[in-house]
DNA sequence: TTCCTCTTTTGACTTAAATCAAAGAAATTT
DNA sequence: AAATTTCTTTGATTTAAGTCAAAAGAGGAA
């Protein structure tokens, strides 16, 4: 219940409305690697994550994967499918065991319709998403892998700084092959690209820990400059 | 005023609310090639198109362009920027002379807050956008140019069919170099790819008219199969 | 029409990234 | 701890698509 309050989608709702969400929600346990829904599957509702981590992704016929989004508690996912009356636009898979709350679409839409705060939350959340996707499109179409990787490391660094940790030493929040898929490439290319940055003395890598030695070069790379 | 009623974002609004939108809107003439706003520029509102065609796009440092969206009357654009309190996430350029209505953000947000129908419209519009972007990400990351082109031609064909025109002969709705940019490539590659489809006897091209000779192959291509 | 500009196409070449294959390193399971 | 599985790295090669340069074609203005 406390977690629900922290979900951005439900932030600022009256206790009474939260209760209602809680009431219509159906708890669902998921185990690592479990497919929660598939691309094209009929969308009957969305999910709120109470614990665990979920990967939303697309797959090509040849099996290459593109991660669209990684979500963890207390976020929601697949809310956008609600108003597309139709199908989920991607796969969702649990990256760890976890606990979800399934919110049936029909009932939630009614809640939205009579709750302005909720619709604003929804609009904000969709807008943010859209912005993230715009950035991803830009990167996929206009930037090369080294640039996307540099950007990713800088983002991690910024996040570390906000959390009061050392911004010059970050910990990758996903496995390297998952990161590759998030950056729109494959693990081999990711590995080689990381290697290049090491060779150039820009970073130092120990397992999942990356030490940033030359932040300036990373910034140049991220902005698309070749170095 | 009639046009406003047809704008999906404003569809189904009460006359009174439409009046209010009309009242806060500031008319703006644009000429072909005019930049309406730039990537990163402070977003003070969004636009409704009364006439003309607008291109929303990103540019790489090397000058490669990726079109995100082409909008024409009576659609709105940059509505998503409203709730990102900050900056426009792309460039907007007029592809033809036209007439816009600029809607200041502050005032429109107030309208939304007290008008459930308007928030639902907004949510629907953002959701559709998100779906389109998801598809674009998938194509950029997982499909090759010929596949994206095939998909595009089939989309045009579907649209022609819906409009009661011949679905086997479509007219490109943009110049070829703009189409290239929409498909995430450059004009040279676009031209060669179109050439390949011609050579294989899948299509026939005369200026902007494309005759579909082998729809099945196009469908295979679009779904990612190599032919 | 002719001129000029802009767009599209073609050719030769380069390059970033994917593929395939295999070895090495980590992590899990037994 | 050994065994098995999964993840990561490295090497050799291929390939799709980008770059640069130039010609061909189309459209608009005078």
């Amino acid at each position: 219940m406390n977690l629900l309050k922290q979900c951005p989608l439900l932030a600022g709702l009256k206790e009474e409305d939260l209760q209602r969400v809680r009431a219509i929600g159906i708890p669902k346990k998921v185990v690592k690697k479990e497919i929660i829904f598939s691309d094209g599957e009929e969308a009957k509702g969305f999910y709120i994550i109470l614990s665990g981590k979920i990967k939303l992704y697309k797959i090509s016929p040849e099996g290459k994967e593109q991660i669209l989004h990684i979500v963890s508690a207390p976020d929601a996912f697949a809310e956008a499918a609600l108003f597309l009356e139709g199908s989920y636009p991607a796969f969702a898979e649990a990256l760890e065991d976890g606990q979800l709350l399934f919110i049936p679409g029909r009932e939630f839409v009614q809640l939205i319709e009579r709750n302005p705060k909720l619709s604003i939350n929804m609009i904000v959340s969709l807008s943010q998403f859209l912005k993230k996707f715009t950035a991803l499109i830009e990167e996929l179409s206009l930037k090369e892998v080294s640039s996307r990787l540099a950007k990713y490391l800088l983002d991690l660094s910024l996040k570390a700084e906000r959390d009061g940790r050392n911004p010059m030493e970050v910990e990758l929040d996903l496995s390297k092959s998952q990161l590759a898929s998030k950056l729109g490439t494959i693990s081999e290319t990711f590995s080689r690209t990381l290697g290049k940055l090491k060779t150039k003395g820009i970073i130092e890598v120990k397992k999942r820990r990356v030490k940033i030695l030359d932040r300036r070069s990373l910034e140049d790379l991220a902005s698309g400059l070749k170095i």
Side-chain angles (χ1 to χ4, degrees), chain A:
Chain A
M1 195 62 202
N2 250 339
L3 259 171
L4 282 193
K5 229 177 277 188
Q6 287 162 45
C7 174
L9 193 61
L10 307 178
L13 285 201
K14 280 171 291 183
E15 202 60 41
E16 173 202 343
D17 290 320
L18 275 177
Q19 280 298 349
R20 206 164 303 167
V21 172
R22 183 76 196 74
I24 63 174
I26 300 162
K28 179 178 167 71
K29 262 195 174 35
V30 290
V31 297
K32 191 171 171 173
K33 298 209 176 167
E34 181 173 340
I35 305 286
I36 295 148
F37 55 72
S38 295
D39 191 359
E41 188 181 314
E42 192 193 347
K44 299 198 179 94
F46 72 101
Y47 294 85
I48 295 172
I49 307 182
L50 303 176
S51 70
K53 193 148 79 170
I54 308 294
K55 162 173 92 173
L56 291 142
Y57 63 104
K58 289 268 187 181
I59 306 193
S60 76
E62 294 84 36
K64 190 185 166 193
E65 173 189 288
Q66 170 69 51
I67 294 181
L68 296 171
H69 199 203
I70 301 277
V71 222
S72 35
D75 267 342
F77 65 94
E79 4 29 319
L82 272 187
F83 286 85
L84 291 175
E85 43 199 75
S87 44
Y88 292 115
F91 292 89
E93 179 188 322
L95 288 179
E96 350 175 311
D97 295 359
Q99 179 75 43
L100 308 180
L101 194 62
F102 174 75
I103 312 286
R106 277 213 151 289
E107 293 156 73
F108 191 74
V109 168
Q110 288 170 354
L111 265 185
I112 288 186
E113 274 164 354
R114 54 180 64 111
N115 193 323
K117 176 65 182 162
L118 196 48
S119 19
I120 297 291
N121 283 353
M122 185 88 183
I123 290 171
V124 169
S125 136
L126 290 173
S127 303
Q128 284 168 350
F129 231 109
L130 214 41
K131 190 173 186 175
K132 273 189 55 174
F133 275 15
T134 303
L136 181 51
I137 290 169
E138 178 180 19
E139 294 190 347
L140 289 174
S141 173
L142 307 175
K143 306 272 178 74
E144 41 198 59
V145 174
S146 56
S147 170
R148 297 178 225 156
L149 172 54
K151 171 82 164 22
Y152 193 79
L153 292 175
L154 289 172
D155 282 352
L156 282 182
S157 172
L158 270 180
K159 209 181 294 175
E161 193 161 25
R162 274 202 306 269
D163 296 354
R165 301 196 316 276
N166 178 8
M168 296 316 257
E169 186 158 343
V170 299
E171 171 121 19
L172 303 181
D173 52 355
L174 288 171
S175 78
K176 289 176 183 173
S177 54
Q178 293 293 284
L179 261 182
S181 162
K182 199 169 176 195
L183 298 181
T185 185
I186 58 178
S187 47
E188 292 96 320
T189 300
F190 180 88
S191 174
R192 282 185 246 269
T193 309
L194 209 59
K196 256 182 267 171
L197 297 193
K198 263 192 288 188
T199 306
K200 290 190 177 167
I202 297 173
I203 57 172
E204 211 174 85
V205 184
K206 271 196 221 106
K207 305 240 180 116
R208 281 194 175 195
R209 300 213 134 270
V210 177
K211 188 179 282 180
I212 297 175
L213 303 174
D214 179 356
R215 192 190 188 92
R216 185 62 209 286
S217 290
L218 270 192
E219 283 162 355
D220 287 349
L221 260 176
S223 72
L225 268 154
K226 324 240 169 201
I227 54 173

